[in-house]
Amino acid sequence: MSRRARALSLACALAVAAGPAPAQTPPLPKPPELSELPALPLLPALPLVTAIEIRTPTPLGKKSEVASVLEIEPGKPLTDMAVRHTLRNLVATGAASRAELYTRTEPEGVVVVLVLRPVVQVGRVRLAGDLGLDESELKAVLPQKEAEPLAEEAVVQGVYNLQNLYQQNGYFKASVHLDVHTDPVQHGADVTYQVAAGPRATVGTIAFDGQLAPFAPAILIDRLRTKPGKAYRQRAAEDDAERLQAWLIEQHYGSARVDRPRAAYDAASNSVGLVYPVQLGPLITFTLTGGDEKKLRKKGLLPFLGPEGYDEALVQQALAKIKAYYQLQGHYHVRVDSAEKPAEGKLDLAITIEPGPVYTLEAVEFRGNRGVGSSQLAKLMSTAPRKLLRPGSGRLVQDELDADIENIRSYYALQGYGEAKVGPAQVTEQGAVLRLAVPIDEGPQQRVVKIELRGVEKLDAARLRKSLPLQEGGPFHPVLLEQTLTAIRTAYADQGYLRMQVSAASDWDRSHRLVDLTLSVLEGPQRVLDRVIVRGNQATRVEVIRRALAVKQGEPLGQTKLFELESRLYRLGIFSRADVDLTGSGLDSPERDVLVRVEEAKFKSLTYGAGYDTQEGLRGTVGFSHSNVAGQADSLRADMRLSQRDKRFRLLFNQPYLGSRRIPLTSTLFYFDTREVSFRTKRWGGRVEAVKASPHKRLSLAFDYRVVELTVDPGVALNAIERQNRPNQLSSVIPTLLLDHRDDPLEPTRGWSALAQIQYSFPLASKADFLKLFLQQTRYFHLGRPGVVAASLRAGGIEAFSSLGRGDPDVPPSLPSSNVFIDERFFGGGSTTHRAYSLDRLGIRGQTLIQPAGRSAFLPVGGNGLLLANVDYRFPIAGPVGGILFFDSGNIWPDWRDIRLREVKSGVGLGVRYLSPIGPLRAEIGWKLNRERHPDEPPFVVFLSFGNPF
């Protein structure tokens, strides 16, 4: 019997067995109608189940949920394991507090009778009375949640949590009473916490414990935000301790410490007395000789003068940081010394800096290395000789050099050279030039000859072998062996083998350089999924949660899998909390239930606003959003903006699933009516797009319909209107494929991407009939320290199948581009296409750059053919600042058949890049290599832009 048929038969059984709800629920020690039924005997012959009856004193609200967890099925034998799992699953769903099972023998087999003792579900958790505090803050400390089974310990714990919260906020006289109202018919409950916050305590006296001189108590109290007479909050009083300590440090008492205050409550006056323990320590005076204190402070090189306060360890850190800073400026032999002079209540700290001459590191060489090449060792070092394109390079910093030596030593160890000796580094001087030599004694290399995997039966041994850090013929090191064992444990744990054991045995040759390894695995039982049980959902449908989890019965359950399931639920964006755990088994069985507890977030929101400005006049905005429409995790967003100048409306509906498949479907409707100085534009239309995405691939299919109507004032030429406001009417189908193998979408340094997009605009409620193809290929080459070479090739073509009639008046009818709306043609020039030309100014005069009658300047009208190539060399300068050298070449043609390489226009340029957390900020200048002598074609163009050009 299929699951759907089983659920249907179960629903029928429920309808017959439950009957109408009685007015009052009698006690149910045992249903009277079942008194003659014998207790369940598990017959040796394993009788067949002929039918399932479910009896409960109240209508069952979660029929589908109950049906999904039954492991007893009509037509199948009645087994002990199926009975145990069914009873366990029924209790875990929360549909019953206890489940009992009986059988009734019939000639064909047995009828299974399930008796469910109803569980009390919490419908509402309310706070009533004089709250004093924000309701959301109070509800956050209540363990009992809505749509969860009533738990006595959770309800009572909520009383204590509320009382503690009120005391922390100064409500020492607050009282909390509990009222639980149960419905014996529906077996539901409403939990109400009756609160009487009472008056809030104020801060009474504030005192200090410790030697305060030279400060008077009133001065210290003035630095606190908590003042006598103000409302008391424990958190605010504790924050004041940190605030006062920071102020004392600013007054040069770097060792000052202020602990949390001791609070004493006086019930008669309803006030709290506070006593702050204070230790001032000595007054610290600081002098710096040989350096710029302001500059060192700005760079954070004097941490003992900051909010952390004075500490001898911080002073030593400062000395090391100052030395490294000066060495980074080329002062390799810098000397940094400190001296402390304690006096009565004072401490004088003096730091002396002797920079010395400036040196440049010209060469780094390795001596004695045979098994590892010098080029590979150089990649392991941050210390490097001077580079022509890297200002400030070629500095020798001792701390960095020491770290480099340790890094090389670790690398040798992981390459099997366990006895390798690296360093000490040898630095020689030749005037202002330094040369660095790193001596290396590699010693013998230990290698793995053979790896034998024993006991691997449930996993793919070949795939597991390839994933191991240790490989046959590769180096051996104890760390690599431990990593290998960990990799095997992780691979098994991800597949649910949590009790597996793995051990290693080694067989060395006489020289102790070659080893055979035997890795023995004891797999143990596999933990797999039995049922998914959902709790806490109120508006969200259970099937939506199950669909998002996308797990099947019998699927392996590792800890990583549980974390992944939680992430899938959070990605729906409708839950404020989602916990995925395993239910207690109590059985020596590998099958486990997954218990999902969710807490739904606020689904609906309404925003509105109003304003006035001189351009738009009066304006108002209204927005509405719903993130869980009909409990399906679909989101709806609508916003409207009205002013005396324009009207805008947009409706967006997003479905994360298309049927049962995770294919997001986004639908958009829009209407814009905008009035400018000399024209009025009306836009309306819609778009439906489905997307299928994977880590390195994105496939989308969109249908797009757009209409633009333009009303122009008398005397205004069409070419004076921006192209996005020109009239058009399009119905398009747009499939797009993106392959993305870049290492970072914001700032890629290696990898490649490929984009292919086709747009077919057909004459259905449209005036356009054309086919448009756009292709782009990018490639990134990481050069290591020198930087990154990035290349892009873009090509496109448009084929029109019919005439637009009265199209663009600026384009001659003889050109194919006249039959394509201007907003759909290709344009070139700008910071993201060709940086030697201004925005849209790349083209061929008379064809894609048209000179209107009576004008000396050429206007860009775009074309039906595009070919564009870009090459960037991006190199670091200092920190997040980098430089760029670029070469751009390409052009725009009126027809894709007219593309000729001899007509491409090229340019070169350079720029500066600042890598911000959200992408690069670029300042670039590009020079034309094929400049035409015309007034509107300057020799160079300057851009300030954000993001990468490709």
Side-chain angles (χ1 to χ4, degrees), residues 837 841 845 905 928 930-932 934-939:
Y837 290 83
R841 294 290 173 171
R845 298 187 185 277
K905 296 182 178 181
K928 299 175 179 63
N930 307 96
R931 183 193 175 202
E932 299 180 29
H934 194 276
D936 64 354
E937 189 161 309

Side-chain angles (χ1 to χ4, degrees), residues 29-236:
K30 192 173 186 180
E33 63 271 31
L34 299 178
S35 58
E36 295 82 16
L37 292 176
L40 171 65
L42 289 183
L43 303 177
L46 295 179
L48 293 180
V49 177
T50 60
I52 301 175
E53 296 179 5
I54 297 182
R55 300 187 181 182
T56 177
T58 61
L60 205 58
K62 297 184 177 181
K63 297 180 181 180
S64 60
E65 184 73 7
V66 170
S68 67
V69 300
L70 295 184
E71 295 197 11
I72 301 171
E73 297 184 30
K76 291 189 176 182
L78 182 63
T79 65
D80 179 69
M81 189 62 69
V83 170
R84 292 175 183 269
H85 284 189
T86 295
L87 295 177
R88 178 196 66 189
N89 295 346
L90 284 172
V91 174
T93 60
S97 61
R98 192 176 65 184
E100 300 170 1
L101 187 145
Y102 304 88
T103 61
R104 183 173 66 245
T105 304
E106 294 187 351
E108 297 82 4
V110 295
V111 175
V112 174
V113 181
L114 288 169
V115 180
L116 304 184
R117 308 295 180 178
V119 68
V120 178
Q121 291 280 349
V122 174
R124 294 182 62 189
V125 177
R126 299 189 306 125
L127 291 156
D130 177 20
L131 301 184
L133 297 176
D134 185 80
E135 184 175 355
S136 60
E137 183 181 1
L138 297 172
K139 278 196 170 184
V141 302
L142 298 179
Q144 178 65 64
K145 303 299 181 182
E146 296 177 349
E148 290 272 3
L150 181 65
E152 181 180 352
E153 62 277 8
V155 173
V156 175
Q157 185 61 45
V159 176
Y160 296 120
N161 292 354
L162 288 174
Q163 289 174 340
N164 291 336
L165 182 61
Y166 274 107
Q167 288 192 5
Q168 292 170 5
N169 285 274
Y171 293 92
F172 292 95
K173 297 182 179 181
S175 63
V176 181
H177 298 284
L178 182 62
D179 180 17
V180 180
H181 175 71
T182 59
D183 184 346
V185 176
Q186 299 297 328
H187 288 273
D190 287 344
V191 178
T192 303
Y193 293 93
Q194 293 286 347
V195 178
R200 193 171 196 172
T202 58
V203 177
T205 59
I206 297 180
F208 301 93
D209 183 7
Q211 180 58 251
L212 304 182
F215 300 105
I219 295 178
L220 301 184
I221 293 175
D222 190 55
R223 310 310 306 178
L224 306 178
R225 291 185 179 176
T226 301
K227 298 286 196 302
K230 285 192 173 183
Y232 170 77
R233 285 183 63 245
Q234 179 180 326
R235 180 63 180 273

